[in-house]
Amino acid sequence: MTIKDHQSKTTSSDEPYMTGKRVVFIDFLHLFALVGFAVAQPLYDLLGQNPEFFVSHKASPGLIIGMVFVLSIGVALGLVLLELAAWLVGERVRRSMHWVFVFGLAVLTVLPPAQRVVHGTDLLIVGFALLIGFFFSVLYVRWQTVRLFVTVLSPAVLAFPLWFLLFTPVGRLVMPDAIEAQADIEINNPVPVVLIVLDEFNITALLDAEGRIDPVRFPNFAALASQSQWFTNAAATYVETAVAVSAILTGRKPRADVRLNPTATDHPQNLFTILGDHYRLNVFEPVTRLCPPELCKEEDEAGASFRYQSFFADLVVIFLHIISPPKLGKHLPPLHAQWTGFGGELLKKGILTQTEVGSHLDAPAGGNTSRDMRLTSFLSHIKDSSNPVLHFLHVVLPHTKYEYLVSGHQYVSKSGHIPAGWIDGPGWGGRWIGKEPLILTAYHQYLQQIGYVDRFLGKLRRSLESAHLYDKALIIVTADHGVSFQRGLSMREVQKGNESDILKVPMFVKLPGQREGTVSERLVSGIDVLPTIADVLGLKIPKAIDGFSMLDHEIPPRDEVDFLGVGKIKAQDLKGFPRLKWQVEHFGEHTSLDRLVPKGPASSLIGQDLAELVIGHSPSLQYINENLNQLHQVNLEGGYLPALFSGQIIGTSRRNLPIAVSLNGRILATTEASLWDGKRNYFSVLFPPSAFQQGENKVSVFLIGEKETELTHVPLLIPGTLSHEPSMINLHQEASGQVKLVYSDEREILVDVGKKYLTGNLDRVTLSGEALVVEGWAADLEKNQPAEEVFIFAGGKQVSSVELGISRQDVVEAHQQKALLHSGFSIKIPLKVLKPYPREIKLIVVSLSDRAWEFSFSPKQTDFIRSTLEKDGLSQ
């Protein structure tokens, strides 16, 4: 071989090697770009508009920058290191791994917009994302143009984090402005101040039938009211906790045109900065950070390691919510307005490291006990002091998660933060779509949680008395906003019919030395708390605020207050307690929460011994319960009681079954089973704490007969013994032309026999992604109630169903019947299930009285359905 030949060979081998290294570098650059679009940007977009996430976690600038590094650099760097490891094995292995990474990141990028574009099943959404991801990755491998396009996008690696840090409200947390020094403030009456802000508090829950605080059910609230001024027409300022609490602490109205972080930087004049130079501060702010660090050094109860783990666990849950299709997202820990704590499920399941976690998790299920720890820590800081002291506590109670009983025990809800009957949705608080029995159980849980708050108030008073502070202190107890429990309406968003539930808040003001209570109907607001404190302390607030002292009677009473997002709230809009009658009808009054049971069907059964009742047996009925073993060994001295009991009745096509549930030989709950979350005849009850005994507790479920004293025992289904799932309902047409519904237990309902009683309308049929959406209403006018369920059949087989429950005020007004409010429905049918039967689509409405009626689509709607199927190539 000549030298020339050798040089030629060397060049031909070295050049690909150099080219390969360049390709590898570009591949790594692409990973950074794709991670930016798939992971970093979606989180930056959401968190950039919700800085409360960082405030709730008390995230330092260093932690925020560290998060940015992890999202924009760390994740991609981890993938790069994996590829480098694969490169040691061989270039082909590295390229294969790179293709997999590109495919996965493309799928993650597509999933969020796919949920907005593709309206269908989770499988359809995921399939669409996988398909797009596959095509993109194939084009990426084969076309230099696509790789060049990704290269052009690589500046996003820097652009996304810079936008997040410089052009969103989070930037003010990373680079906060200096807090203005407050002018010298003279305090003429430096009495101790105690301010307690509760969360999601419906004031109606405290009341008896006369509109007074029930002294049996809530003795400590009643005791507080007996020595304070109770303002019965107190209004919140907004439904978002951080904004509402900031308004309470600053006396300033929230503004729609300015987004302020709940920090001292954005609210330099607040209760803490005004009193900080004169008072010792005992401050607990879980959602806001208005007390500057130099004034408030709140103890890190959980430890830095746990706090960082919690921060990133919550970050993971948020990202999973961003990419998860709707049904899959229901299985994730739900997000909530406090922006913290929802990643605890990941910690307890071991998905993240559990270092230092054990002591901070609930037994036995592992829920976060931060609320209980916060209360305990707050009380421990109340001590006798020669210097004036401010005790401030914002506690996220009685806010969901509903987990506390009046006894102080915790119980575990399978649904986590979300009580059965409620569904998350757009806006604040989702809405209640379950039947009344589920909402009653949720409200029972809520009352128990308020009982837990009442228990805390008793401890607070004893702590203040032990420190010789109670008599001489100014004590104010209020809340950020209310909460609603009305079917078809939102839990927290103000709508017609729930205004009083959400707008009204408790407002108790106990003056130093006050011994006699008074009641005032004066219209006051959360922004009046700070000026009231200033009035009692005899200080002048340096800069102008919007609120007025609630004690200054020289100021004419307000006629209206502002509520952000709603507008002006008139005084007459807040008078009275519209839901008080409903509460008394279902929960009575002057009954200890320890023994409280809501009034369900056959409520006379409550408390009866099983030995005194006639009990039969059913060969077909069974019920499913996944947590029955928790009742086998109850420790009354421990912190947990399995009080929430739920299940599903199977083996019958009957609906809305009246159910009785016994515990330890006595009937302790009656309810009605209903359709929920795809489960027919689902039920949920809450046992009162006094019903449990040490050791084994025995529960039984019964079907209530026509005579209330005649019960049918429903045995527990042994896991693994169910041979088949309950079959779908079929539509059968006889030779005579008569159509009937045929259930799995061979029960039949003739269709059209109720036509003269059932009425309604198919308002519209629309296309939403890959699904038809049918909207309308249906009601049984003879029974004066909404219909029960809507079925869609194609080719005689059930392909979709939905329970009625959407509010229809127009139907109420048209028929002058308030009972018809929840007669609306909206049912979505994936186009693919209609493929074999484009001309055999039927919509059947069934009433509670087993009447059925076929709703006929109008000619225009029929043409639309057929043309839609034909256009999409689905029609045969």
Side-chain angles (χ1 to χ4, degrees):
M1 178 184 296
T2 65
I3 295 176
K4 183 176 181 181
D5 291 333
H6 178 74
Q7 289 176 339
S8 176
K9 185 175 179 180
T10 303
T11 304
S12 63
S13 60
D14 284 352
E15 185 170 343
Y17 175 73
M18 294 304 294
T19 302
K21 290 177 67 175
R22 186 166 60 250
V23 167
V24 170
F25 172 78
I26 294 175
D27 283 352
F28 291 168
L29 183 63
H30 289 175
L31 288 180
F32 282 91
L34 292 174
V35 166
F37 281 93
V39 180
Q41 191 278 334
L43 284 169
Y44 291 155
D45 184 52
L46 178 64
L47 298 179
Q49 302 308 314
N50 293 279
E52 294 83 5
F53 173 80
F54 302 101
V55 175
S56 297
H57 286 86
K58 298 191 174 1
S60 64
L63 180 57
I64 298 174
I65 293 173
M67 181 205 74
V68 170
F69 177 84
V70 169
L71 294 180
S72 291
I73 304 297
V75 175
L77 187 60
L79 300 181
V80 167
L81 292 176
L82 289 175
E83 282 201 24
L84 286 173
W87 201 12
L88 296 176
V89 179
E91 172 62 10
R92 181 173 297 180
V93 176
R94 186 202 68 79
R95 287 184 179 179
S96 298
M97 180 177 286
H98 183 73
W99 182 86
V100 171
F101 287 161
V102 170
F103 168 72
L105 292 170
V107 171
L108 292 178
T109 303
V110 172
L111 272 171
Q115 298 174 51
R116 298 188 291 270
V117 175
V118 180
H119 297 279
T121 64
D122 284 9
L123 185 61
L124 187 63
I125 294 172
V126 173
F128 176 81
L130 290 172
L131 184 64
I132 298 298
F134 176 77
F135 277 123
F136 175 82
S137 57
V138 170
L139 294 175
Y140 175 87
V141 170
R142 296 194 175 190
W143 284 14
Q144 179 66 27
T145 305
V146 176
R147 294 195 295 275
L148 180 60
F149 175 72
V150 178
T151 303
V152 172
L153 294 178
S154 58
V157 176
L158 296 176
F160 289 151
L162 288 176
W163 170 83
F164 176 71
L165 294 173
L166 298 179
F167 299 102
T168 73
V170 176
R172 298 200 301 276
L173 299 178
V174 178
M175 297 170 285
D177 297 330
I179 299 174
E180 298 180 25
Q182 296 294 311
D184 289 338
I185 296 173
E186 182 179 352
I187 300 177
N188 297 317
N189 184 32
V191 299
V193 178
V194 180
L195 175 56
I196 308 296
V197 180
L198 304 172
D199 206 303
E200 275 193 6
F201 202 110
N202 187 327
I203 186 66
T204 302
L206 294 178
L207 308 181
D208 61 15
E210 301 299 321
R212 298 176 297 224
I213 295 177
D214 193 323
V216 178
R217 197 165 286 177
F218 304 106
N220 295 299
F221 273 105
L224 175 64
S226 69
Q227 292 185 316
S228 64
Q229 298 188 45
W230 174 25
F231 294 88
T232 58
N233 291 321
T237 57
Y238 192 43
V239 294
E240 185 179 350
T241 297
V243 175
V245 174
S246 297
I248 291 171
L249 292 172
T250 64
R252 300 295 303 272
K253 294 186 294 186
R255 293 173 53 187
D257 58 335
V258 177
R259 177 64 184 267
L260 298 176
N261 291 335
T263 62
T265 300
D266 284 9
H267 299 281
Q269 177 178 274
N270 62 66
L271 177 63
F272 311 124
T273 57
I274 291 173
L275 298 184
D277 291 337
H278 305 272
Y279 274 60
R280 181 173 69 84
L281 303 182
N282 173 28
V283 175
F284 285 75
E285 291 184 277
V287 179
T288 57
R289 206 191 301 170
L290 268 69
C291 191
E294 58 269 22
L295 293 178
C296 296
K297 295 185 170 113
E298 186 173 330
E299 291 184 358
D300 190 356
E301 303 130 356
S305 177
F306 177 78
R307 188 156 49 86
Y308 295 149
Q309 290 180 47
S310 176
F311 176 87
F312 283 103
D314 288 347
L315 200 64
V316 169
V317 173
I318 291 173
F319 181 70
L320 291 176
H321 271 280
I322 291 173
I323 64 172
S324 296
K327 288 187 179 179
L328 184 60
K330 290 182 180 180
H331 298 285
L332 294 171
L335 307 182
H336 47 81
Q338 275 61 51
W339 286 105
T340 184
F342 33 75
E345 294 292 318
L346 298 182
L347 294 173
K348 78 178 184 184
K349 291 177 181 177
I351 297 175
L352 298 180
T353 308
Q354 291 203 26
T355 305
E356 299 185 26
V357 175
S359 62
H360 303 292
L361 300 181
D362 295 345
N368 196 312
T369 59
S370 61
R371 293 190 288 187
D372 183 63
M373 291 169 57
R374 191 172 297 277
L375 296 180
T376 303
S377 182
F378 174 78
L379 293 176
S380 70
H381 285 77
I382 298 178
K383 301 174 183 177
D384 194 1
S385 174
S386 57
N387 297 320
V389 59
L390 165 66
H391 296 288
F392 172 81
L393 171 69
H394 169 216
V395 59
V396 189
L397 284 168
H399 192 290
T400 53
K401 168 183 180 179
Y402 299 145
E403 58 178 336
Y404 293 108
L405 300 170
V406 64
S407 60
H409 292 92
Q410 287 180 279
Y411 61 93
V412 174
S413 168
K414 183 180 177 182
S415 58
H417 281 81
I418 302 178
W422 178 83
I423 187 170
D424 200 359
W428 288 102
R431 60 190 175 103
W432 295 101
I433 64 170
K435 286 294 186 66
E436 186 83 345
L438 294 179
I439 297 176
L440 285 176
T441 297
Y443 195 70
H444 190 191
Q445 294 178 258
Y446 182 70
L447 291 176
Q448 288 287 336
Q449 195 124 305
I450 293 183
Y452 181 80
V453 175
D454 184 82
R455 181 186 176 97
F456 161 72
L457 276 187
K459 293 180 180 180
L460 173 64
R461 176 165 182 161
R462 290 190 291 274
S463 295
L464 291 171
E465 288 175 339
S466 297
H468 308 292
L469 295 175
Y470 184 79
D471 287 335
K472 55 187 179 182
L474 166 65
I475 302 174
I476 299 179
V477 177
T478 186
D480 58 349
H481 53 74
V483 64
S484 182
F485 292 81
Q486 297 192 52
R487 188 179 181 216
L489 299 180
S490 173
M491 192 178 194
R492 280 174 56 184
E493 184 177 0
V494 179
Q495 298 172 333
K496 185 175 182 180
N498 70 1
E499 300 96 335
S500 181
D501 296 341
I502 297 170
L503 295 174
K504 295 186 75 166
V505 294
M507 184 68 76
F508 300 98
V509 180
K510 189 201 84 67
L511 299 176
Q514 184 172 353
R515 299 301 178 98
E516 297 293 330
T518 61
V519 177
S520 172
E521 294 186 355
R522 183 173 183 168
L523 180 60
V524 299
S525 169
I527 61 174
D528 297 334
V529 170
L530 178 62
T532 301
I533 294 173
D535 189 9
V536 174
L537 270 56
L539 67 86
K540 183 177 180 181
I541 298 174
K543 294 183 179 180
I545 57 176
D546 301 312
F548 304 99
S549 171
M550 292 178 270
L551 310 174
D552 190 347
H553 296 286
E554 295 183 1
I555 299 175
R558 287 191 185 95
D559 294 325
E560 60 187 21
V561 292
D562 289 311
F563 189 92
L564 184 60
V566 176
K568 301 290 185 182
I569 304 299
K570 302 291 185 183
Q572 58 265 28
D573 296 334
L574 294 180
K575 289 201 171 178
F577 304 94
R579 292 287 284 175
L580 182 56
K581 181 180 178 182
W582 173 87
Q583 176 179 284
V584 173
E585 286 176 353
H586 291 93
F587 293 91
E589 59 177 340
H590 303 156
T591 305
S592 169
L593 284 174
D594 190 51
R595 302 180 181 277
L596 179 65
V597 175
K599 297 176 182 177
S603 58
S604 60
L605 288 171
I606 299 298
Q608 291 199 36
D609 196 309
L610 294 181
E612 301 172 356
L613 302 171
V614 178
I615 300 176
H617 297 273
S618 170
S620 60
L621 293 179
Q622 291 178 297
Y623 80 93
I624 301 171
N625 177 273
E626 298 177 357
N627 300 310
L628 200 63
N629 61 330
Q630 295 180 358
L631 289 158
H632 292 166
Q633 192 62 41
V634 172
N635 179 14
L636 297 180
E637 300 301 319
Y640 172 79
L641 287 179
L644 189 65
F645 183 79
S646 60
Q648 180 188 5
I649 306 293
I650 61 172
T652 179
S653 61
R654 291 178 56 193
R655 306 180 307 280
N656 306 306
L657 300 174
I659 301 296
V661 185
S662 70
L663 185 64
N664 300 323
R666 289 188 177 276
I667 301 293
L668 285 174
T670 62
T671 187
E672 192 176 83
S674 61
L675 177 67
W676 177 248
D677 198 24
K679 302 184 183 77
R680 291 183 176 276
N681 288 318
Y682 175 86
F683 65 91
S684 177
V685 298
L686 187 70
F687 292 129
S690 63
F692 290 92
Q693 62 186 22
Q694 184 73 18
E696 184 177 9
N697 288 254
K698 295 183 179 180
V699 65
S700 296
V701 177
F702 305 91
L703 179 66
I704 302 173
E706 293 185 5
K707 293 184 178 180
E708 293 184 357
T709 56
E710 296 181 355
L711 304 180
T712 300
H713 180 247
V714 182
L716 173 69
L717 174 69
I718 306 299
T721 62
L722 183 62
S723 59
H724 64 279
E725 291 292 329
S727 61
M728 301 290 280
I729 301 169
N730 292 320
L731 193 65
H732 177 71
Q733 185 167 1
E734 298 179 337
S736 63
Q738 176 66 60
V739 178
K740 57 186 178 183
L741 299 176
V742 182
Y743 289 80
S744 56
D745 59 0
E746 299 184 355
R747 184 170 67 95
E748 299 177 352
I749 299 178
L750 296 179
V751 178
D752 280 339
V753 295
K755 188 172 182 179
K756 62 180 179 179
Y757 302 115
L758 291 175
T759 188
N761 189 57
L762 294 182
D763 297 334
R764 63 185 65 86
V765 179
T766 58
L767 179 65
S768 179
E770 295 297 319
L772 285 176
V773 178
V774 182
E775 298 175 274
W777 66 275
D780 187 336
L781 293 185
E782 184 189 42
K783 299 292 185 179
N784 190 30
Q785 60 189 11
E788 169 71 3
E789 200 166 357
V790 176
F791 297 93
I792 297 289
F793 294 90
K797 296 183 179 180
Q798 179 190 342
V799 295
S800 188
S801 67
V802 71
E803 191 174 355
L804 284 83
I806 296 177
S807 298
R808 290 294 296 261
Q809 188 64 34
D810 58 326
V811 177
V812 172
E813 295 171 357
H815 293 272
Q816 296 298 303
Q817 293 291 344
K818 291 184 178 179
L820 302 183
L821 177 63
H822 304 120
S823 58
F825 67 85
S826 177
I827 185 167
K828 184 178 292 186
I829 317 107
L831 295 178
K832 65 177 182 179
V833 303
L834 305 176
K835 176 180 178 180
Y837 318 104
R839 299 178 183 273
E840 301 178 46
I841 302 171
K842 296 182 181 294
L843 186 148
I844 308 293
V845 175
V846 179
S847 72
L848 284 168
S849 53
D850 282 346
R851 291 172 171 150
W853 180 28
E854 179 183 353
F855 272 39
S856 297
F857 293 100
S858 69
K860 184 177 179 180
Q861 291 170 344
T862 301
D863 291 342
F864 174 78
I865 294 172
R866 291 177 180 173
S867 64
T868 299
L869 297 178
E870 292 169 357
K871 181 176 66 175
D872 289 336
L874 294 174
S875 182
Q876 288 183 336

